Amino acid sequence: MVTPALNTIVKMLESLPETMQENVAEHLRAYLAEMQAEQKWEQSFARTQNKLTDAAREAHRQIADGKSQPLDIDRL
């Protein structure tokens, strides 16, 4: 379904020369691709959030129990 806002944008685009329409279309494609990638990342993050929380709790527990060591980047 096309919303009134999109109808307005289409009318505005129709008033532009074809080369400008192509430029706007290319910018919109890039913007929409970025939005889709961000949405995919957010969905992926939401699925793993509980696991990340559990891992953080475990790390805090190990630190409190003295079972951890500071990260030595030279040993990676």
Side-chain angles (χ1 to χ4, degrees):
M1 183 171 118
V2 177
T3 65
L6 287 176
N7 278 329
T8 301
I9 290 171
V10 168
K11 288 178 185 177
M12 292 171 69
L13 286 170
E14 288 173 341
S15 71
L16 297 174
E18 188 174 331
T19 55
M20 290 182 80
Q21 289 181 23
E22 291 296 325
N23 288 339
V24 170
E26 184 56 38
H27 285 288
L28 284 173
R29 281 186 205 102
Y31 179 70
L32 291 172
E34 185 177 320
M35 287 180 65
Q36 289 171 332
E38 187 172 325
Q39 182 181 32
K40 188 175 180 180
W41 166 255
E42 288 175 3
Q43 290 170 346
S44 177
F45 184 76
R47 283 192 305 271
T48 61
Q49 192 166 5
N50 289 339
K51 291 178 184 178
L52 292 171
T53 300
D54 292 343
R57 285 187 182 126
E58 177 64 15
H60 283 281
R61 187 187 61 73
Q62 289 182 6
I63 291 168
D65 292 347
K67 295 180 181 178
S68 65
Q69 298 177 7
L71 177 65
D72 183 355
I73 295 177
D74 295 330
R75 293 182 61 191
L76 292 179

